[in-house]
Amino acid sequence: MSDDKSAEWAVELKGVTKTYRKGPIEVPALRRVSLRVAPGEFLAIAGSSGSGKTTLLNIIGGLERADAGDVFVDGKNLQLLSSGDLARLRLQRLGFIFQAYNLLPVLTALENAEFILLLQGVSAKQRKERVRKLFAEIGLVSLENRRPAELSGGQQQRVAVVRAMVTEPALILADEPTANLDSVTAGALLDVMGQLNRAHGTTFVYATHDPQVMERARRLIRLHDGQIMSDEARASTAP
Amino acid sequence: MMSAFLLVKIGWRNLWRNPGGTLLTALALGLGLTFVLISLGLLDGSHEQMVRNRVRYGTGHVVIQAQGYQATGSPDLLLPIQVVSATEAYLRTEAMKQTPRGVSPRLLASGLLTSAANADGVRIMGVIPKAERAVSLIPERMIEGAYLADGQESGVVIGAVLARKLAVKVGAKVVLAIQAVKPPAKDASDPDKGEMQNALLRVSGIFRTGVQAIDAHVIQVPLSEAQSLLGVPDRITQIAILLEGEGDSLTVAQRLRGQLKDVPVEILPWRESMPALAQLFSLEEAFNYVMNGVVLMMVGLVILNTILMRVLQRRYEFGLCQALGLRPVQLAGMIFGESLALTAISLALGLALGLGAQQFLATHGLDLRWFSQRNLPADLVFDPIIYSRLSPTRIASSVGIVFLTAIVISFYPALKAARTKLPDALKVF
């Protein structure tokens, strides 16, 4: 395995393999996947259910480890990092947006959005300033004191996007972020993500199986049975 | 470094996600503490009452008697009556800081009490009525006639069982036969010493204590009468001392031993002078500790079950927190904070309920006659009404133990939360 290297690529995967074992049965999830993602890309990973999209995102995000190969994120080889170091990397350099239930139900929208800043030890004043700036950018200001149960699915996902963005991470990973949203709300969310990607230069990698969502990506990778079937640069339809 | 304030805030808010459930849980835990406090209060109260009653039927909290009397019970082992005044004087000194509730000199012997109908062996207590009233419960347990009057030189009070056996009532005449104390060598010329003596006595009163051994065998006569019959003027067998509380027994006994070290006496706290009773109380205390241990264990299991259920239901949430960068130790801290908040609410509830109940039971008592179909007499050796007694130390230690139990038990759910496995915890579909 290679050691750390300079962050020429936001993400670099070399021959990554992952196999799940359920008793005597082995289920290959990723087969020698190699991939490079440049800083500032807006990349979609597409594929049907079971194609390995979530596994690939989990491995890039340090939520699980590859069985073989090298995974470089922000110049660090995740295969060599301890669990504590991975937690620190997630905290400092990565942002996550999940399918649903992204927010802590007992915290308000503002508190959820500033949660990671709090973990990072950022002062209260700076936290509020940074969160409110992004809330203003995507129209959440009036909702900052609401709890998740008082927000729509789209509003909750937008709060999750702000939480992922507010720390100015090197990379944001989103696993089917629009899966539980209607097409209009999904489009609005992708607009927000695209807007933040362009404005802040943050790298976005998201998984989807929705053709409409794929259309918004500027690069599309198709996975099938744990292997990359195609990798194409596209002209995004994002506004 | 994550703010501890945020941990507390999240823990606190998590508690109120389901206010009804939280309050019910807190009430269940609080009732555990309430039960512990009520149980300990009644235990301490009944213990204090039982000790007070039993020592008042026996030797008092502290007894002074001739060296060797405890082991032999020999009627020949006597003290000069001057020891009484010396003891009283010392108990009232500033050094002792101990005002006894009563000091009663007694002359003890065995004899035979005969009526026109029957005869029975009796334990004779020669007493000074005024002094005995301050120490013993027998004067308070008269059911017929009256107790010996101050200055009364003759007469006898007997137990109800003995009165029935002898078929006597108040005013009846009985004959007490007693063997005089054996003469010391120098008094050998006195022909009455060591011989059987008889006295005709009139029954002044009949008592009922509820203690079979006392009601069937104990009689009390004026000290002067007993001294005269036994041929030992100015001599007594023991001095029974009643204190304000039993907690001082050992200290007072030890200080008296230091003070009377040159006199050949044995000074015993009630636990030594009445060892069988002390053993009974020790067993009772041990049993109650076990019972309270069981209650605490149940309280602990409720805490464990509650927190564990909360943890298991929030697996996804913990997974999310870990994915965002929360370290396992911080996650454990969050759950721990939640447990502490729940425990604090529970303790506040339990303390309020427990102290309320304790106050009620301390004032009105728990009347055991409510639970018995039989009409229990009020003169039982164990009072049928138990008054709760709880010292601040007892309350503090109970709260402390429940709190510590909760803390120890909260570790497991916290550990469980900290061990949330990624990415499995994030799978929702």
Side-chain angles (χ1 to χ4, degrees), chain A residues 22-52:
Chain A
K22 291 179 180 171
I25 303 167
E26 291 195 344
V27 182
L30 294 176
R31 305 167 199 244
R32 301 193 56 75
V33 171
S34 293
L35 169 70
R36 283 174 172 170
V37 181
E41 280 202 60
F42 197 68
L43 164 69
I45 299 171
S48 57
S49 180
S51 60

mmCIF file of all heavy atoms in Angstrom, chain A residues 22-52:
data_model
loop_
_atom_site.group_PDB
_atom_site.id
_atom_site.type_symbol
_atom_site.label_atom_id
_atom_site.label_comp_id
_atom_site.label_asym_id
_atom_site.label_seq_id
_atom_site.Cartn_x
_atom_site.Cartn_y
_atom_site.Cartn_z
ATOM 1 N N LYS A 22 -21.619 -13.341 4.016
ATOM 2 C CA LYS A 22 -22.774 -13.711 4.831
ATOM 3 C C LYS A 22 -22.712 -15.210 5.016
ATOM 4 O O LYS A 22 -23.173 -15.973 4.167
ATOM 5 C CB LYS A 22 -24.076 -13.303 4.126
ATOM 6 C CG LYS A 22 -24.264 -11.799 4.065
ATOM 7 C CD LYS A 22 -25.529 -11.400 3.357
ATOM 8 C CE LYS A 22 -25.644 -9.879 3.327
ATOM 9 N NZ LYS A 22 -26.751 -9.424 2.474
ATOM 10 N N GLY A 23 -22.086 -15.633 6.105
ATOM 11 C CA GLY A 23 -21.868 -17.065 6.312
ATOM 12 C C GLY A 23 -20.920 -17.577 5.243
ATOM 13 O O GLY A 23 -19.877 -16.968 4.987
ATOM 14 N N PRO A 24 -21.292 -18.644 4.579
ATOM 15 C CA PRO A 24 -20.384 -19.205 3.559
ATOM 16 C C PRO A 24 -20.485 -18.449 2.227
ATOM 17 O O PRO A 24 -19.682 -18.665 1.327
ATOM 18 C CB PRO A 24 -20.896 -20.636 3.400
ATOM 19 C CG PRO A 24 -22.342 -20.572 3.785
ATOM 20 C CD PRO A 24 -22.501 -19.452 4.767
ATOM 21 N N ILE A 25 -21.472 -17.554 2.116
ATOM 22 C CA ILE A 25 -21.688 -16.889 0.824
ATOM 23 C C ILE A 25 -20.877 -15.603 0.743
ATOM 24 O O ILE A 25 -20.898 -14.788 1.673
ATOM 25 C CB ILE A 25 -23.187 -16.565 0.626
ATOM 26 C CG1 ILE A 25 -24.001 -17.848 0.728
ATOM 27 C CG2 ILE A 25 -23.424 -15.856 -0.713
ATOM 28 C CD1 ILE A 25 -25.484 -17.616 0.864
ATOM 29 N N GLU A 26 -20.172 -15.437 -0.353
ATOM 30 C CA GLU A 26 -19.402 -14.211 -0.574
ATOM 31 C C GLU A 26 -20.105 -13.372 -1.639
ATOM 32 O O GLU A 26 -20.463 -13.888 -2.703
ATOM 33 C CB GLU A 26 -17.990 -14.545 -1.034
ATOM 34 C CG GLU A 26 -17.153 -15.199 0.070
ATOM 35 C CD GLU A 26 -15.672 -15.199 -0.265
ATOM 36 O OE1 GLU A 26 -15.332 -14.974 -1.436
ATOM 37 O OE2 GLU A 26 -14.884 -15.402 0.670
ATOM 38 N N VAL A 27 -20.327 -12.094 -1.307
ATOM 39 C CA VAL A 27 -21.000 -11.202 -2.264
ATOM 40 C C VAL A 27 -20.031 -10.085 -2.632
ATOM 41 O O VAL A 27 -19.762 -9.201 -1.813
ATOM 42 C CB VAL A 27 -22.281 -10.599 -1.636
ATOM 43 C CG1 VAL A 27 -23.001 -9.711 -2.652
ATOM 44 C CG2 VAL A 27 -23.193 -11.689 -1.116
ATOM 45 N N PRO A 28 -19.481 -10.123 -3.823
ATOM 46 C CA PRO A 28 -18.551 -9.045 -4.218
ATOM 47 C C PRO A 28 -19.315 -7.745 -4.455
ATOM 48 O O PRO A 28 -20.293 -7.735 -5.201
ATOM 49 C CB PRO A 28 -17.925 -9.563 -5.520
ATOM 50 C CG PRO A 28 -18.798 -10.663 -5.992
ATOM 51 C CD PRO A 28 -19.640 -11.143 -4.866
ATOM 52 N N ALA A 29 -18.882 -6.679 -3.784
ATOM 53 C CA ALA A 29 -19.555 -5.385 -3.922
ATOM 54 C C ALA A 29 -18.772 -4.471 -4.853
ATOM 55 O O ALA A 29 -19.354 -3.746 -5.657
ATOM 56 C CB ALA A 29 -19.711 -4.726 -2.562
ATOM 57 N N LEU A 30 -17.444 -4.501 -4.751
ATOM 58 C CA LEU A 30 -16.592 -3.715 -5.652
ATOM 59 C C LEU A 30 -15.470 -4.622 -6.159
ATOM 60 O O LEU A 30 -14.886 -5.380 -5.381
ATOM 61 C CB LEU A 30 -15.988 -2.511 -4.917
ATOM 62 C CG LEU A 30 -16.949 -1.412 -4.434
ATOM 63 C CD1 LEU A 30 -16.185 -0.353 -3.654
ATOM 64 C CD2 LEU A 30 -17.690 -0.768 -5.607
ATOM 65 N N ARG A 31 -15.182 -4.534 -7.438
ATOM 66 C CA ARG A 31 -14.127 -5.384 -8.020
ATOM 67 C C ARG A 31 -13.079 -4.491 -8.677
ATOM 68 O O ARG A 31 -13.348 -3.883 -9.717
ATOM 69 C CB ARG A 31 -14.706 -6.302 -9.085
ATOM 70 C CG ARG A 31 -15.856 -7.175 -8.632
ATOM 71 C CD ARG A 31 -16.510 -7.777 -9.876
ATOM 72 N NE ARG A 31 -17.843 -8.257 -9.602
ATOM 73 C CZ ARG A 31 -18.203 -9.537 -9.677
ATOM 74 N NH1 ARG A 31 -17.330 -10.461 -9.983
ATOM 75 N NH2 ARG A 31 -19.441 -9.886 -9.448
ATOM 76 N N ARG A 32 -11.975 -4.372 -8.060
ATOM 77 C CA ARG A 32 -10.807 -3.641 -8.580
ATOM 78 C C ARG A 32 -11.224 -2.311 -9.227
ATOM 79 O O ARG A 32 -10.962 -2.047 -10.402
ATOM 80 C CB ARG A 32 -10.019 -4.496 -9.569
ATOM 81 C CG ARG A 32 -9.495 -5.798 -8.966
ATOM 82 C CD ARG A 32 -8.471 -6.488 -9.849
ATOM 83 N NE ARG A 32 -7.340 -5.655 -10.188
ATOM 84 C CZ ARG A 32 -6.328 -5.336 -9.355
ATOM 85 N NH1 ARG A 32 -6.339 -5.813 -8.127
ATOM 86 N NH2 ARG A 32 -5.342 -4.576 -9.760
ATOM 87 N N VAL A 33 -11.854 -1.472 -8.409
ATOM 88 C CA VAL A 33 -12.314 -0.171 -8.908
ATOM 89 C C VAL A 33 -11.186 0.860 -8.796
ATOM 90 O O VAL A 33 -10.577 0.997 -7.733
ATOM 91 C CB VAL A 33 -13.541 0.318 -8.108
ATOM 92 C CG1 VAL A 33 -13.882 1.767 -8.472
ATOM 93 C CG2 VAL A 33 -14.732 -0.584 -8.371
ATOM 94 N N SER A 34 -10.905 1.518 -9.874
ATOM 95 C CA SER A 34 -9.916 2.613 -9.862
ATOM 96 C C SER A 34 -10.603 3.870 -10.366
ATOM 97 O O SER A 34 -11.388 3.822 -11.320
ATOM 98 C CB SER A 34 -8.720 2.281 -10.755
ATOM 99 O OG SER A 34 -8.013 1.188 -10.193
ATOM 100 N N LEU A 35 -10.312 4.993 -9.704
ATOM 101 C CA LEU A 35 -11.063 6.208 -10.000
ATOM 102 C C LEU A 35 -10.301 7.425 -9.503
ATOM 103 O O LEU A 35 -9.649 7.362 -8.460
ATOM 104 C CB LEU A 35 -12.410 6.106 -9.261
ATOM 105 C CG LEU A 35 -13.321 7.318 -9.174
ATOM 106 C CD1 LEU A 35 -13.902 7.623 -10.552
ATOM 107 C CD2 LEU A 35 -14.452 7.037 -8.185
ATOM 108 N N ARG A 36 -10.371 8.509 -10.262
ATOM 109 C CA ARG A 36 -9.771 9.764 -9.805
ATOM 110 C C ARG A 36 -10.830 10.855 -9.902
ATOM 111 O O ARG A 36 -11.504 10.964 -10.933
ATOM 112 C CB ARG A 36 -8.568 10.149 -10.663
ATOM 113 C CG ARG A 36 -7.321 9.354 -10.341
ATOM 114 C CD ARG A 36 -6.226 9.683 -11.331
ATOM 115 N NE ARG A 36 -4.969 9.086 -10.927
ATOM 116 C CZ ARG A 36 -3.894 9.042 -11.690
ATOM 117 N NH1 ARG A 36 -3.935 9.572 -12.918
ATOM 118 N NH2 ARG A 36 -2.772 8.492 -11.260
ATOM 119 N N VAL A 37 -10.928 11.645 -8.834
ATOM 120 C CA VAL A 37 -11.877 12.761 -8.824
ATOM 121 C C VAL A 37 -11.088 14.037 -8.539
ATOM 122 O O VAL A 37 -10.391 14.127 -7.523
ATOM 123 C CB VAL A 37 -12.965 12.574 -7.739
ATOM 124 C CG1 VAL A 37 -13.951 13.737 -7.753
ATOM 125 C CG2 VAL A 37 -13.684 11.249 -7.907
ATOM 126 N N ALA A 38 -11.194 14.982 -9.465
ATOM 127 C CA ALA A 38 -10.444 16.231 -9.286
ATOM 128 C C ALA A 38 -11.187 17.166 -8.341
ATOM 129 O O ALA A 38 -12.415 17.096 -8.247
ATOM 130 C CB ALA A 38 -10.278 16.911 -10.642
ATOM 131 N N PRO A 39 -10.452 18.043 -7.650
ATOM 132 C CA PRO A 39 -11.122 19.007 -6.769
ATOM 133 C C PRO A 39 -12.119 19.859 -7.552
ATOM 134 O O PRO A 39 -11.846 20.260 -8.679
ATOM 135 C CB PRO A 39 -9.969 19.868 -6.230
ATOM 136 C CG PRO A 39 -8.759 19.015 -6.359
ATOM 137 C CD PRO A 39 -8.981 18.172 -7.580
ATOM 138 N N GLY A 40 -13.297 20.082 -6.973
ATOM 139 C CA GLY A 40 -14.297 20.944 -7.583
ATOM 140 C C GLY A 40 -15.238 20.215 -8.533
ATOM 141 O O GLY A 40 -16.136 20.823 -9.107
ATOM 142 N N GLU A 41 -15.058 18.902 -8.696
ATOM 143 C CA GLU A 41 -15.951 18.164 -9.604
ATOM 144 C C GLU A 41 -17.348 18.037 -9.011
ATOM 145 O O GLU A 41 -17.539 18.072 -7.786
ATOM 146 C CB GLU A 41 -15.386 16.761 -9.865
ATOM 147 C CG GLU A 41 -14.274 16.738 -10.901
ATOM 148 C CD GLU A 41 -14.104 15.354 -11.521
ATOM 149 O OE1 GLU A 41 -15.071 14.857 -12.132
ATOM 150 O OE2 GLU A 41 -13.005 14.781 -11.358
ATOM 151 N N PHE A 42 -18.325 17.834 -9.894
ATOM 152 C CA PHE A 42 -19.710 17.582 -9.490
ATOM 153 C C PHE A 42 -20.087 16.254 -10.154
ATOM 154 O O PHE A 42 -20.525 16.207 -11.303
ATOM 155 C CB PHE A 42 -20.599 18.724 -9.971
ATOM 156 C CG PHE A 42 -21.946 18.788 -9.293
ATOM 157 C CD1 PHE A 42 -22.045 19.128 -7.947
ATOM 158 C CD2 PHE A 42 -23.113 18.521 -9.989
ATOM 159 C CE1 PHE A 42 -23.292 19.205 -7.323
ATOM 160 C CE2 PHE A 42 -24.363 18.596 -9.373
ATOM 161 C CZ PHE A 42 -24.449 18.931 -8.038
ATOM 162 N N LEU A 43 -19.833 15.163 -9.418
ATOM 163 C CA LEU A 43 -19.797 13.826 -9.997
ATOM 164 C C LEU A 43 -20.947 12.965 -9.488
ATOM 165 O O LEU A 43 -21.206 12.905 -8.285
ATOM 166 C CB LEU A 43 -18.453 13.177 -9.615
ATOM 167 C CG LEU A 43 -18.296 11.673 -9.759
ATOM 168 C CD1 LEU A 43 -18.288 11.264 -11.230
ATOM 169 C CD2 LEU A 43 -16.999 11.222 -9.110
ATOM 170 N N ALA A 44 -21.600 12.288 -10.421
ATOM 171 C CA ALA A 44 -22.660 11.356 -10.026
ATOM 172 C C ALA A 44 -22.195 9.927 -10.276
ATOM 173 O O ALA A 44 -21.549 9.648 -11.283
ATOM 174 C CB ALA A 44 -23.917 11.635 -10.820
ATOM 175 N N ILE A 45 -22.509 9.058 -9.319
ATOM 176 C CA ILE A 45 -22.252 7.631 -9.506
ATOM 177 C C ILE A 45 -23.613 6.971 -9.682
ATOM 178 O O ILE A 45 -24.456 7.030 -8.777
ATOM 179 C CB ILE A 45 -21.505 7.029 -8.296
ATOM 180 C CG1 ILE A 45 -20.151 7.732 -8.139
ATOM 181 C CG2 ILE A 45 -21.314 5.536 -8.455
ATOM 182 C CD1 ILE A 45 -19.417 7.377 -6.877
ATOM 183 N N ALA A 46 -23.821 6.406 -10.826
ATOM 184 C CA ALA A 46 -25.133 5.841 -11.117
ATOM 185 C C ALA A 46 -25.055 4.321 -11.187
ATOM 186 O O ALA A 46 -23.989 3.741 -11.376
ATOM 187 C CB ALA A 46 -25.640 6.404 -12.442
ATOM 188 N N GLY A 47 -26.185 3.716 -11.013
ATOM 189 C CA GLY A 47 -26.231 2.256 -11.093
ATOM 190 C C GLY A 47 -27.480 1.749 -10.419
ATOM 191 O O GLY A 47 -28.093 2.452 -9.604
ATOM 192 N N SER A 48 -27.814 0.544 -10.773
ATOM 193 C CA SER A 48 -29.026 -0.035 -10.176
ATOM 194 C C SER A 48 -28.738 -0.448 -8.734
ATOM 195 O O SER A 48 -27.594 -0.416 -8.278
ATOM 196 C CB SER A 48 -29.467 -1.245 -10.993
ATOM 197 O OG SER A 48 -28.385 -2.157 -11.044
ATOM 198 N N SER A 49 -29.794 -0.842 -8.064
ATOM 199 C CA SER A 49 -29.648 -1.283 -6.678
ATOM 200 C C SER A 49 -28.717 -2.495 -6.625
ATOM 201 O O SER A 49 -28.850 -3.429 -7.423
ATOM 202 C CB SER A 49 -31.039 -1.649 -6.137
ATOM 203 O OG SER A 49 -30.908 -2.069 -4.812
ATOM 204 N N GLY A 50 -27.727 -2.457 -5.726
ATOM 205 C CA GLY A 50 -26.790 -3.573 -5.593
ATOM 206 C C GLY A 50 -25.592 -3.444 -6.509
ATOM 207 O O GLY A 50 -24.745 -4.341 -6.565
ATOM 208 N N SER A 51 -25.476 -2.305 -7.194
ATOM 209 C CA SER A 51 -24.351 -2.157 -8.121
ATOM 210 C C SER A 51 -23.053 -1.781 -7.403
ATOM 211 O O SER A 51 -21.973 -1.890 -7.977
ATOM 212 C CB SER A 51 -24.683 -1.097 -9.179
ATOM 213 O OG SER A 51 -24.929 0.147 -8.536
ATOM 214 N N GLY A 52 -23.167 -1.328 -6.161
ATOM 215 C CA GLY A 52 -21.969 -0.989 -5.383
ATOM 216 C C GLY A 52 -21.810 0.497 -5.112
ATOM 217 O O GLY A 52 -20.769 0.932 -4.587
#
